[in-house]
Amino acid sequence: MKKYIFGIIGFIILLAADRVTKVAAQTTLKGTDGIPVIKGVFRLLYLENRGAAFGVLQNQRFLLLFFTAIILIAVIAAYIKIPFTKRYIPMEVLLVLLASGAIGNMADRAIYGYVTDFLYFELIDFPIFNVADCYVVIAAFTAAFYILFYYKDEDFEIFKLKKTKGD
């Protein structure tokens, strides 16, 4: 039970942080040229992204909502299946981070038809992104690191489907 309480509290805090930053961007940046944070390097710049990462799948709202729902089901199933032991805490945290980012952007897409982006590295002209995107990217890269260098094959036995009699 403690695992779920920590997960839910973390999820709510992360989702609230994403929502607050998006509302702030909508109210202060929309209709402006943005706010330079580090001149020529980093700027807060409002963008309504009607696609996925890097602007792919533009105006495919329902397809993106469908794929996000499938990913969330997998994340929730994994979270439920993982034992509440010290060894798996990093993966639980990463799953909460991933779910928070996915829901943050999914909510925007469902409510507005677009995702609010506002973080722009203009020095390298990197696509504009948001806090939820940061959650997803950090979770994905950190999970890859843990899977490659921390967890062993036997740590993933928990995800195998149990064989039924006669198989």
Side-chain angles (χ1 to χ4, degrees):
M1 187 60 160
K2 198 186 292 188
K3 165 182 160 175
Y4 299 112
I5 291 170
F6 288 137
I8 291 168
I9 290 170
F11 173 81
I12 290 169
I13 290 169
L14 291 167
L15 194 59
D18 175 61
R19 189 75 239 135
V20 166
T21 59
K22 287 176 179 173
V23 168
Q26 291 167 342
T27 57
T28 60
L29 299 172
K30 191 172 186 176
T32 72
D33 291 332
I35 300 170
V37 177
I38 302 172
K39 189 174 177 165
V41 177
F42 182 73
R43 168 182 296 273
L44 299 176
L45 182 65
Y46 181 81
L47 175 75
E48 295 174 359
N49 182 358
R50 287 173 166 65
F54 305 108
V56 299
L57 297 173
Q58 284 293 311
N59 299 311
Q60 299 297 315
R61 178 181 181 188
F62 294 107
L63 180 66
L64 292 168
L65 287 169
F66 174 76
F67 282 130
T68 304
I70 297 299
I71 290 166
L72 280 171
I73 290 168
V75 166
I76 292 167
Y79 188 84
I80 290 168
K81 202 128 167 106
I82 290 176
F84 189 55
T85 63
K86 188 176 180 179
R87 180 148 185 85
Y88 290 101
I89 289 174
M91 194 56 70
E92 290 168 355
V93 169
L94 294 173
L95 289 171
V96 169
L97 200 61
L98 182 61
S100 301
I103 291 283
N105 284 340
M106 185 182 196
D108 267 15
R109 205 170 270 121
I111 295 166
Y112 306 114
Y114 59 85
V115 174
T116 301
D117 289 336
F118 56 91
L119 302 170
Y120 177 49
F121 281 100
E122 59 186 325
L123 179 68
I124 58 172
D125 195 27
F126 194 79
I128 303 171
F129 57 100
N130 62 47
V131 172
D133 296 335
C134 294
Y135 296 163
V136 171
V137 171
I138 290 167
F141 278 102
T142 307
F145 175 82
Y146 271 95
I147 290 167
L148 290 171
F149 302 110
Y150 178 73
Y151 292 111
K152 298 177 176 87
D153 288 344
E154 54 268 16
D155 291 324
F156 295 103
E157 294 289 323
I158 57 171
F159 296 114
K160 287 192 175 178
L161 296 175
K162 294 180 180 168
K163 292 185 179 183
T164 58
K165 292 181 181 179
D167 284 346

